[in-house]
Amino acid sequence: MRIVKIVAVQPEITQRDLRTRSEEIMDAVQRGQAFTVTRGGRQIGELVPLRRRRHFVSRGEFAAMSRTAPDASLDTFRADREGAAAQELDDPYAR
């Protein structure tokens, strides 16, 4: 079996394109498009949209997400917590 990795190719724009078509390019970035910026034929950077973080989740959305979440065992949670707390920390200066 051969595994093929698919890599999304983002369009390349020159530094000059960025300068002369900045409004058009920034509109595309705002819509989610990413670009690789080149200067003298060499890639020098990427222009990528910011990931938008949601700060508020409504009660209805939280309830809907919770319905599909796996059941959590309180005993398993406590055992995991105790196991993590019981680990000994190595002293890097104790050599």
Coordinates of all heavy atoms in Angstrom, one line a residue:
M1 N 0.8 -1.2 0.0 CA 0.0 0.0 0.0 C 0.9 1.2 0.0 O 1.8 1.3 0.8 CB -0.9 0.0 1.2 CG -1.6 1.3 1.4 SD -2.5 1.4 2.9 CE -4.1 0.8 2.4
R2 N 0.6 2.1 -0.9 CA 1.3 3.4 -1.0 C 0.5 4.5 -0.4 O -0.6 4.7 -0.7 CB 1.6 3.7 -2.5 CG 2.5 4.8 -2.7 CD 2.8 4.9 -4.1 NE 3.4 6.3 -4.4 CZ 3.3 6.9 -5.5 NH1 2.6 6.4 -6.5 NH2 3.8 8.1 -5.6
I3 N 1.1 5.3 0.5 CA 0.5 6.4 1.2 C 0.9 7.7 0.5 O 2.1 7.9 0.4 CB 0.8 6.4 2.7 CG1 0.3 5.2 3.3 CG2 0.2 7.7 3.3 CD1 0.6 5.0 4.8
V4 N 0.0 8.5 0.1 CA 0.3 9.7 -0.6 C -0.1 10.8 0.3 O -1.3 10.9 0.7 CB -0.4 9.8 -2.0 CG1 -0.1 11.1 -2.6 CG2 0.0 8.6 -2.9
K5 N 0.8 11.7 0.6 CA 0.4 12.9 1.4 C 0.0 14.0 0.5 O 0.7 14.4 -0.5 CB 1.7 13.3 2.2 CG 1.4 14.5 3.1 CD 2.6 14.8 4.0 CE 2.3 15.9 4.9 NZ 3.5 16.3 5.7
I6 N -1.2 14.6 0.7 CA -1.7 15.7 -0.1 C -1.3 17.0 0.6 O -1.7 17.2 1.8 CB -3.2 15.5 -0.3 CG1 -3.5 14.2 -1.1 CG2 -3.7 16.7 -1.0 CD1 -5.0 13.9 -1.2
V7 N -0.6 17.8 -0.1 CA -0.3 19.1 0.5 C -1.0 20.2 -0.3 O -0.9 20.3 -1.5 CB 1.3 19.3 0.4 CG1 1.7 20.7 0.9 CG2 2.0 18.2 1.1
A8 N -1.7 21.0 0.5 CA -2.4 22.1 -0.2 C -1.4 23.2 -0.6 O -0.5 23.6 0.2 CB -3.4 22.7 0.8
V9 N -1.4 23.5 -1.8 CA -0.5 24.5 -2.4 C -1.1 25.9 -2.3 O -2.2 26.1 -2.8 CB -0.1 24.2 -3.8 CG1 0.9 25.2 -4.4 CG2 0.6 22.8 -3.9
Q10 N -0.4 26.8 -1.7 CA -1.0 28.2 -1.6 C -0.3 29.0 -2.7 O 0.8 28.8 -3.0 CB -0.8 28.8 -0.2 CG 0.6 28.7 0.3 CD 0.6 29.1 1.8 OE1 -0.2 28.6 2.6 NE2 1.5 29.9 2.2
P11 N -1.1 29.9 -3.3 CA -0.5 30.7 -4.4 C 0.7 31.5 -3.9 O 0.7 32.0 -2.8 CB -1.7 31.6 -4.8 CG -2.9 31.1 -4.1 CD -2.5 30.2 -3.0
E12 N 1.6 31.7 -4.9 CA 2.7 32.6 -4.6 C 2.4 33.9 -5.2 O 1.9 34.1 -6.2 CB 4.0 32.0 -5.3 CG 4.5 30.8 -4.6 CD 5.9 30.4 -5.1 OE1 6.4 31.0 -6.1 OE2 6.5 29.5 -4.5
I13 N 2.8 34.9 -4.4 CA 2.7 36.3 -4.8 C 4.1 37.0 -4.6 O 4.8 36.7 -3.7 CB 1.6 37.1 -4.1 CG1 1.8 37.1 -2.6 CG2 0.2 36.6 -4.5 CD1 0.9 38.0 -1.8
T14 N 4.4 37.9 -5.6 CA 5.7 38.6 -5.4 C 5.5 39.7 -4.5 O 4.4 40.2 -4.2 CB 6.2 39.1 -6.8 OG1 5.3 40.1 -7.2 CG2 6.3 38.0 -7.8
Q15 N 6.7 40.2 -4.0 CA 6.6 41.4 -3.1 C 6.0 42.6 -3.9 O 5.2 43.3 -3.3 CB 8.1 41.7 -2.7 CG 8.2 43.0 -1.8 CD 9.6 43.3 -1.5 OE1 10.5 42.7 -2.0 NE2 9.8 44.3 -0.7
R16 N 6.2 42.7 -5.2 CA 5.7 43.7 -6.0 C 4.1 43.6 -6.0 O 3.4 44.5 -5.9 CB 6.3 43.8 -7.3 CG 5.6 44.9 -8.2 CD 6.4 45.0 -9.5 NE 7.7 45.4 -9.1 CZ 8.7 45.7 -10.0 NH1 8.5 45.6 -11.3 NH2 9.9 46.1 -9.6
D17 N 3.6 42.3 -6.3 CA 2.2 42.1 -6.3 C 1.6 42.5 -5.0 O 0.5 43.1 -4.9 CB 1.9 40.6 -6.5 CG 2.1 40.1 -7.9 OD1 2.0 41.0 -8.8 OD2 2.2 38.9 -8.1
L18 N 2.2 42.2 -3.9 CA 1.7 42.5 -2.6 C 1.6 44.0 -2.4 O 0.6 44.5 -1.9 CB 2.6 41.9 -1.5 CG 2.2 42.2 0.0 CD1 0.8 41.6 0.2 CD2 3.1 41.5 0.9
R19 N 2.6 44.7 -2.9 CA 2.5 46.2 -2.8 C 1.5 46.8 -3.7 O 0.7 47.7 -3.3 CB 3.9 46.7 -3.2 CG 4.1 48.2 -2.9 CD 5.5 48.7 -3.1 NE 6.1 48.3 -4.3 CZ 7.2 47.4 -4.4 NH1 7.7 46.9 -3.4 NH2 7.7 47.1 -5.6
T20 N 1.3 46.3 -5.0 CA 0.4 46.9 -5.9 C -1.0 46.4 -5.8 O -1.9 47.1 -6.2 CB 0.9 46.8 -7.3 OG1 1.0 45.4 -7.6 CG2 2.2 47.4 -7.6
R21 N -1.2 45.2 -5.3 CA -2.6 44.6 -5.2 C -2.9 44.3 -3.8 O -3.7 43.4 -3.5 CB -2.6 43.3 -6.0 CG -2.3 43.5 -7.5 CD -2.2 42.2 -8.3 NE -3.1 41.2 -7.8 CZ -2.8 39.9 -7.7 NH1 -1.7 39.4 -8.0 NH2 -3.7 39.0 -7.3
S22 N -2.4 45.2 -2.9 CA -2.6 44.9 -1.4 C -4.1 44.8 -1.0 O -4.4 43.9 -0.2 CB -1.9 45.9 -0.6 OG -2.5 47.2 -0.8
E23 N -5.0 45.6 -1.5 CA -6.4 45.5 -1.1 C -7.0 44.2 -1.6 O -7.6 43.5 -0.8 CB -7.2 46.7 -1.7 CG -8.6 46.7 -1.2 CD -9.4 47.9 -1.7 OE1 -8.9 48.7 -2.5 OE2 -10.6 48.0 -1.3
E24 N -6.7 43.8 -2.8 CA -7.3 42.6 -3.3 C -6.7 41.4 -2.5 O -7.5 40.4 -2.2 CB -6.9 42.5 -4.8 CG -7.3 41.2 -5.5 CD -6.7 41.1 -6.9 OE1 -6.2 42.1 -7.4 OE2 -6.7 40.0 -7.4
I25 N -5.5 41.4 -2.3 CA -4.8 40.3 -1.5 C -5.3 40.2 -0.1 O -5.6 39.2 0.4 CB -3.3 40.4 -1.6 CG1 -2.8 40.2 -3.1 CG2 -2.6 39.5 -0.7 CD1 -1.4 40.6 -3.4
M26 N -5.4 41.4 0.6 CA -5.9 41.4 1.9 C -7.4 40.9 2.0 O -7.7 40.3 3.0 CB -5.7 42.8 2.6 CG -4.3 43.1 2.8 SD -3.5 41.9 3.9 CE -1.8 42.4 3.7
D27 N -8.2 41.3 1.0 CA -9.5 40.8 1.0 C -9.6 39.3 0.9 O -10.4 38.6 1.6 CB -10.3 41.4 -0.2 CG -10.6 42.9 0.0 OD1 -10.6 43.3 1.2 OD2 -11.0 43.5 -1.0
A28 N -8.7 38.7 0.1 CA -8.6 37.2 -0.1 C -8.1 36.6 1.3 O -8.6 35.5 1.7 CB -7.6 36.9 -1.2
V29 N -7.2 37.2 1.9 CA -6.7 36.7 3.2 C -7.9 36.7 4.2 O -8.1 35.8 5.0 CB -5.5 37.5 3.8 CG1 -5.2 37.1 5.2 CG2 -4.3 37.3 2.9
Q30 N -8.6 37.8 4.2 CA -9.8 37.9 5.1 C -10.8 36.8 4.9 O -11.5 36.3 5.8 CB -10.4 39.3 5.0 CG -11.5 39.6 6.0 CD -12.0 41.0 6.0 OE1 -11.7 41.7 5.0 NE2 -12.6 41.4 7.0
R31 N -10.9 36.4 3.6 CA -11.8 35.3 3.3 C -11.2 33.9 3.6 O -11.9 32.9 3.4 CB -12.2 35.4 1.8 CG -13.1 36.5 1.4 CD -13.6 36.4 0.0 NE -12.6 36.3 -1.0 CZ -12.0 37.3 -1.6 NH1 -12.3 38.5 -1.3 NH2 -11.0 37.0 -2.5
G32 N -10.0 33.9 4.0 CA -9.3 32.6 4.4 C -8.2 32.1 3.5 O -7.7 31.0 3.8
Q33 N -7.9 32.8 2.5 CA -6.8 32.4 1.5 C -5.5 32.7 2.1 O -5.3 33.8 2.7 CB -7.0 33.1 0.2 CG -5.9 32.8 -0.8 CD -5.9 31.4 -1.3 OE1 -6.9 31.0 -1.8 NE2 -4.8 30.7 -1.1
A34 N -4.5 31.8 2.0 CA -3.1 32.0 2.4 C -2.3 32.2 1.1 O -2.6 31.7 0.1 CB -2.7 30.9 3.2
F35 N -1.2 32.9 1.3 CA -0.2 33.2 0.2 C 1.2 33.0 0.7 O 1.5 33.2 1.8 CB -0.4 34.6 -0.3 CG -1.7 35.0 -0.9 CD1 -2.7 35.5 -0.1 CD2 -1.9 34.7 -2.3 CE1 -3.9 35.8 -0.7 CE2 -3.1 35.1 -2.8 CZ -4.1 35.6 -2.0
T36 N 2.1 32.5 -0.3 CA 3.5 32.5 -0.1 C 4.1 33.7 -0.8 O 3.8 33.9 -2.0 CB 4.1 31.2 -0.6 OG1 3.5 30.1 0.1 CG2 5.6 31.2 -0.4
V37 N 4.8 34.5 -0.1 CA 5.4 35.8 -0.6 C 6.8 35.5 -1.1 O 7.6 34.8 -0.4 CB 5.4 36.9 0.4 CG1 6.0 38.2 -0.2 CG2 4.0 37.1 1.0
T38 N 7.1 35.9 -2.3 CA 8.5 35.7 -2.9 C 9.1 37.1 -3.2 O 8.5 38.1 -3.4 CB 8.4 34.9 -4.2 OG1 7.7 35.7 -5.2 CG2 7.7 33.6 -4.0
R39 N 10.5 37.0 -3.2 CA 11.3 38.2 -3.5 C 12.4 37.7 -4.4 O 13.2 36.8 -3.9 CB 11.8 39.0 -2.3 CG 12.6 40.2 -2.8 CD 13.3 40.9 -1.6 NE 12.6 41.1 -0.4 CZ 13.1 41.2 0.8 NH1 14.4 41.2 0.9 NH2 12.3 41.4 1.8
G40 N 12.6 38.2 -5.6 CA 13.6 37.7 -6.4 C 13.5 36.2 -6.7 O 14.5 35.5 -6.9
G41 N 12.3 35.7 -6.8 CA 12.1 34.3 -7.1 C 12.3 33.3 -5.9 O 12.1 32.1 -6.1
R42 N 12.6 33.9 -4.7 CA 12.8 33.0 -3.6 C 11.7 33.2 -2.6 O 11.3 34.4 -2.3 CB 14.1 33.3 -2.9 CG 15.3 33.0 -3.8 CD 16.7 33.3 -3.2 NE 16.8 32.5 -2.0 CZ 17.5 32.9 -0.9 NH1 18.1 34.1 -0.9 NH2 17.6 32.1 0.2
Q43 N 11.2 32.2 -2.0 CA 10.1 32.3 -0.9 C 10.7 32.9 0.3 O 11.8 32.5 0.8 CB 9.6 30.9 -0.6 CG 8.9 30.3 -1.8 CD 8.3 28.9 -1.4 OE1 8.7 28.3 -0.4 NE2 7.4 28.4 -2.2
I44 N 10.0 34.0 0.8 CA 10.5 34.7 2.0 C 9.6 34.7 3.1 O 9.9 35.1 4.2 CB 10.9 36.1 1.6 CG1 9.7 36.9 1.1 CG2 12.1 36.2 0.6 CD1 10.0 38.4 1.1
G45 N 8.3 34.3 2.9 CA 7.4 34.4 4.0 C 6.0 33.9 3.6 O 5.7 33.6 2.4
E46 N 5.1 33.8 4.5 CA 3.7 33.4 4.3 C 2.8 34.5 4.8 O 3.1 35.1 5.9 CB 3.4 32.1 5.0 CG 4.1 30.9 4.4 CD 3.7 29.7 5.1 OE1 3.8 29.6 6.4 OE2 3.4 28.7 4.4
L47 N 1.7 34.7 4.1 CA 0.7 35.6 4.5 C -0.5 34.8 4.8 O -1.1 34.2 3.8 CB 0.4 36.7 3.4 CG -0.5 37.8 3.7 CD1 -0.1 38.6 4.9 CD2 -0.7 38.7 2.5
V48 N -0.9 34.6 6.0 CA -2.0 33.7 6.4 C -3.0 34.4 7.2 O -2.7 35.3 8.0 CB -1.4 32.4 7.2 CG1 -0.5 31.6 6.3 CG2 -0.7 32.9 8.4
P49 N -4.3 33.9 7.1 CA -5.3 34.5 7.9 C -5.2 34.1 9.4 O -4.6 33.0 9.7 CB -6.6 34.0 7.3 CG -6.2 32.8 6.5 CD -4.8 33.0 6.2
L50 N -5.6 35.0 10.3 CA -5.6 34.7 11.7 C -6.7 33.7 12.0 O -7.8 33.7 11.4 CB -5.8 35.9 12.6 CG -4.7 37.0 12.5 CD1 -5.1 38.2 13.3 CD2 -3.4 36.4 13.1
R51 N -6.4 32.8 12.9 CA -7.5 31.8 13.3 C -8.4 32.6 14.3 O -7.9 33.2 15.2 CB -6.9 30.6 14.1 CG -6.2 29.7 13.1 CD -5.8 28.5 13.8 NE -4.4 28.8 14.2 CZ -3.6 28.0 14.9 NH1 -4.1 26.9 15.4 NH2 -2.4 28.4 15.2
R52 N -9.6 32.5 14.0 CA -10.5 33.2 14.9 C -10.9 32.3 16.1 O -11.3 31.2 15.9 CB -11.8 33.6 14.2 CG -11.5 34.6 13.0 CD -12.8 35.0 12.4 NE -12.4 35.8 11.2 CZ -12.5 37.1 11.1 NH1 -12.9 37.8 12.2 NH2 -12.2 37.8 10.0
R53 N -10.8 32.9 17.3 CA -11.1 32.1 18.5 C -12.4 32.6 19.0 O -12.7 33.8 19.2 CB -10.0 32.4 19.5 CG -8.7 31.8 19.1 CD -7.7 31.9 20.3 NE -6.4 31.4 19.8 CZ -5.3 31.8 20.3 NH1 -5.3 32.7 21.3 NH2 -4.2 31.3 19.9
R54 N -13.3 31.6 19.3 CA -14.6 32.0 19.9 C -14.4 32.0 21.4 O -13.8 31.2 22.0 CB -15.6 31.0 19.5 CG -16.0 31.0 18.1 CD -17.0 30.0 17.7 NE -18.1 30.1 18.6 CZ -19.2 29.3 18.5 NH1 -19.2 28.4 17.6 NH2 -20.1 29.4 19.3
H55 N -14.9 33.1 22.0 CA -14.8 33.2 23.5 C -16.1 32.8 24.2 O -16.0 32.5 25.4 CB -14.4 34.7 23.8 CG -13.1 35.1 23.3 ND1 -11.9 34.7 23.8 CD2 -12.8 35.8 22.2 CE1 -10.9 35.2 23.2 NE2 -11.4 35.9 22.1
F56 N -17.2 32.8 23.5 CA -18.4 32.5 24.1 C -19.1 31.3 23.4 O -19.2 31.3 22.2 CB -19.3 33.7 24.0 CG -20.7 33.5 24.6 CD1 -20.9 33.4 26.0 CD2 -21.8 33.2 23.8 CE1 -22.2 33.2 26.5 CE2 -23.0 33.0 24.3 CZ -23.2 33.0 25.6
V57 N -19.6 30.4 24.2 CA -20.4 29.3 23.6 C -21.7 29.3 24.4 O -21.8 29.3 25.6 CB -19.7 27.9 23.9 CG1 -20.5 26.8 23.4 CG2 -18.3 27.9 23.2
S58 N -22.8 29.4 23.6 CA -24.1 29.5 24.2 C -24.4 28.2 24.9 O -23.9 27.1 24.7 CB -25.1 29.8 23.1 OG -25.3 28.6 22.3
R59 N -25.4 28.3 25.8 CA -25.8 27.1 26.6 C -26.3 26.0 25.7 O -26.0 24.8 25.9 CB -26.9 27.5 27.6 CG -27.4 26.4 28.5 CD -28.5 26.8 29.4 NE -27.9 27.7 30.4 CZ -28.6 28.3 31.4 NH1 -29.8 28.0 31.5 NH2 -28.0 29.0 32.2
G60 N -27.0 26.4 24.7 CA -27.6 25.4 23.7 C -26.5 24.7 23.0 O -26.5 23.5 22.8
E61 N -25.4 25.4 22.5 CA -24.3 24.8 21.8 C -23.6 23.9 22.8 O -23.2 22.8 22.4 CB -23.4 25.9 21.3 CG -23.9 26.6 20.1 CD -22.9 27.7 19.7 OE1 -22.8 28.7 20.4 OE2 -22.2 27.5 18.7
F62 N -23.3 24.3 24.0 CA -22.6 23.5 25.0 C -23.4 22.2 25.2 O -22.9 21.1 25.2 CB -22.4 24.2 26.3 CG -21.7 23.4 27.3 CD1 -20.3 23.2 27.2 CD2 -22.3 22.8 28.3 CE1 -19.6 22.5 28.1 CE2 -21.7 22.0 29.3 CZ -20.3 21.8 29.1
A63 N -24.7 22.3 25.4 CA -25.6 21.1 25.6 C -25.5 20.2 24.4 O -25.4 18.9 24.6 CB -27.0 21.5 25.9
A64 N -25.5 20.7 23.2 CA -25.5 19.9 22.0 C -24.1 19.1 21.9 O -24.1 18.0 21.6 CB -25.7 20.7 20.8
M65 N -23.1 19.8 22.2 CA -21.7 19.2 22.2 C -21.6 18.1 23.3 O -21.0 17.1 23.1 CB -20.6 20.2 22.3 CG -20.5 21.1 21.1 SD -19.0 22.3 21.3 CE -19.6 23.4 22.5
S66 N -22.2 18.4 24.4 CA -22.1 17.5 25.5 C -22.8 16.2 25.3 O -22.5 15.1 25.8 CB -22.6 18.1 26.8 OG -21.9 19.3 27.1
R67 N -23.9 16.3 24.5 CA -24.7 15.0 24.2 C -23.9 14.0 23.4 O -24.1 12.8 23.6 CB -26.0 15.4 23.5 CG -27.1 15.9 24.4 CD -28.4 16.0 23.6 NE -28.4 17.0 22.6 CZ -28.8 18.3 22.8 NH1 -29.0 18.7 24.0 NH2 -28.8 19.2 21.8
T68 N -23.0 14.5 22.6 CA -22.2 13.6 21.8 C -20.8 13.2 22.4 O -20.1 12.5 21.9 CB -21.9 14.2 20.4 OG1 -21.2 15.4 20.5 CG2 -23.3 14.4 19.7
A69 N -20.5 13.8 23.6 CA -19.2 13.5 24.2 C -19.3 12.1 24.9 O -20.3 11.7 25.3 CB -19.0 14.6 25.3
P70 N -18.1 11.5 24.9 CA -18.1 10.2 25.6 C -18.4 10.3 27.1 O -18.1 11.3 27.7 CB -16.7 9.6 25.3 CG -15.9 10.8 25.0 CD -16.8 11.9 24.4
D71 N -18.9 9.2 27.7 CA -19.1 9.2 29.1 C -17.8 9.2 29.8 O -16.8 8.6 29.4 CB -19.9 7.9 29.5 CG -21.4 8.0 29.0 OD1 -21.9 9.1 28.8 OD2 -21.9 6.9 28.9
A72 N -17.7 9.9 30.9 CA -16.5 10.0 31.7 C -16.8 9.3 33.0 O -17.8 9.5 33.7 CB -16.2 11.5 32.0
S73 N -15.8 8.5 33.4 CA -15.9 7.7 34.6 C -15.1 8.5 35.7 O -14.0 8.9 35.6 CB -15.2 6.4 34.5 OG -14.9 5.8 35.7
L74 N -15.8 8.8 36.8 CA -15.2 9.6 37.9 C -14.0 8.8 38.5 O -13.0 9.4 38.8 CB -16.2 9.9 39.0 CG -15.8 10.8 40.1 CD1 -15.2 12.2 39.5 CD2 -16.9 11.1 41.0
D75 N -14.2 7.5 38.6 CA -13.1 6.7 39.2 C -11.9 6.7 38.3 O -10.7 6.8 38.8 CB -13.6 5.2 39.4 CG -14.6 5.1 40.4 OD1 -14.6 6.0 41.4 OD2 -15.5 4.2 40.4
T76 N -12.1 6.6 37.0 CA -11.0 6.7 36.0 C -10.3 8.0 36.1 O -9.0 8.1 36.1 CB -11.4 6.4 34.6 OG1 -12.1 5.1 34.6 CG2 -10.3 6.4 33.6
F77 N -11.1 9.1 36.2 CA -10.5 10.4 36.3 C -9.6 10.6 37.5 O -8.5 11.1 37.4 CB -11.6 11.5 36.3 CG -11.1 12.9 36.6 CD1 -10.5 13.6 35.6 CD2 -11.3 13.4 37.9 CE1 -10.0 14.9 35.9 CE2 -10.9 14.7 38.2 CZ -10.2 15.4 37.2
R78 N -10.2 10.1 38.6 CA -9.4 10.2 39.9 C -8.1 9.4 39.8 O -7.1 9.8 40.3 CB -10.3 9.7 41.1 CG -11.3 10.7 41.4 CD -12.1 10.3 42.6 NE -13.1 11.3 42.9 CZ -14.3 11.0 43.5 NH1 -14.6 9.8 43.8 NH2 -15.1 12.0 43.8
A79 N -8.2 8.2 39.2 CA -7.0 7.3 39.1 C -5.9 8.0 38.2 O -4.7 8.0 38.5 CB -7.3 6.0 38.5
D80 N -6.4 8.6 37.1 CA -5.4 9.4 36.2 C -4.8 10.5 37.0 O -3.6 10.8 36.9 CB -6.2 9.9 35.0 CG -6.5 8.8 34.0 OD1 -5.9 7.7 34.1 OD2 -7.3 9.0 33.1
R81 N -5.6 11.2 37.7 CA -5.1 12.4 38.5 C -4.1 12.0 39.5 O -3.0 12.6 39.6 CB -6.3 13.1 39.1 CG -5.9 14.4 39.9 CD -7.0 15.0 40.6 NE -7.4 14.1 41.6 CZ -8.5 14.2 42.3 NH1 -9.3 15.3 42.1 NH2 -8.9 13.3 43.2
E82 N -4.4 10.9 40.2 CA -3.5 10.4 41.3 C -2.2 9.9 40.6 O -1.1 10.1 41.2 CB -4.1 9.3 42.1 CG -5.3 9.8 42.9 CD -4.9 10.9 43.9 OE1 -3.8 10.8 44.5 OE2 -5.7 11.9 44.1
G83 N -2.3 9.2 39.5 CA -1.1 8.7 38.8 C -0.2 9.9 38.3 O 1.0 9.8 38.4
A84 N -0.8 10.9 37.9 CA 0.0 12.1 37.4 C 0.7 12.8 38.6 O 1.8 13.2 38.5 CB -0.9 13.1 36.7
A85 N -0.1 12.9 39.7 CA 0.5 13.5 40.9 C 1.6 12.7 41.6 O 2.4 13.2 42.2 CB -0.6 13.8 41.9
A86 N 1.5 11.4 41.4 CA 2.5 10.5 42.1 C 3.8 10.4 41.3 O 4.8 9.8 41.9 CB 1.9 9.1 42.2
Q87 N 3.9 11.0 40.2 CA 5.2 10.9 39.4 C 6.2 11.7 40.1 O 6.0 12.8 40.6 CB 5.0 11.4 38.0 CG 4.1 10.6 37.2 CD 3.8 11.2 35.8 OE1 4.4 12.2 35.4 NE2 3.0 10.5 35.0
E88 N 7.4 11.2 40.1 CA 8.5 11.9 40.8 C 9.2 12.8 39.7 O 9.4 12.4 38.6 CB 9.6 10.9 41.3 CG 9.0 10.1 42.5 CD 10.1 9.2 43.1 OE1 11.3 9.6 42.9 OE2 9.7 8.2 43.6
L89 N 9.5 14.0 40.1 CA 10.2 14.9 39.3 C 11.7 14.7 39.4 O 12.3 14.5 40.5 CB 9.9 16.4 39.6 CG 8.4 16.8 39.5 CD1 8.2 18.2 40.0 CD2 8.0 16.6 38.1
D90 N 12.4 14.7 38.3 CA 13.8 14.5 38.2 C 14.5 15.8 38.6 O 14.1 16.9 38.0 CB 14.3 14.0 36.9 CG 13.9 12.6 36.6 OD1 13.7 11.8 37.5 OD2 13.7 12.3 35.4
D91 N 15.5 15.8 39.4 CA 16.3 17.0 39.7 C 17.4 17.1 38.7 O 18.3 16.3 38.8 CB 16.8 16.9 41.2 CG 17.5 18.2 41.6 OD1 17.7 19.1 40.7 OD2 17.9 18.3 42.7
P92 N 17.4 18.1 37.9 CA 18.5 18.2 36.8 C 19.8 18.5 37.5 O 20.8 18.3 36.8 CB 18.0 19.3 35.9 CG 17.1 20.1 36.8 CD 16.4 19.2 37.7
Y93 N 19.9 18.9 38.7 CA 21.1 19.3 39.4 C 21.7 18.2 40.2 O 22.7 18.3 40.9 CB 21.0 20.6 40.2 CG 20.5 21.7 39.3 CD1 19.2 22.2 39.4 CD2 21.4 22.3 38.4 CE1 18.8 23.2 38.6 CE2 21.0 23.4 37.6 CZ 19.7 23.8 37.7 OH 19.3 24.8 36.9
A94 N 21.0 17.0 40.3 CA 21.4 15.9 41.2 C 22.3 15.0 40.5 O 22.5 13.8 41.0 CB 20.1 15.2 41.6
R95 N 23.0 15.4 39.5 CA 23.9 14.4 38.8 C 25.2 14.3 39.4 O 25.9 15.0 40.0 CB 24.1 14.9 37.3 CG 22.8 14.9 36.6 CD 23.0 15.3 35.2 NE 21.7 15.3 34.6 CZ 21.5 15.6 33.4 NH1 22.5 15.9 32.6 NH2 20.3 15.7 32.9

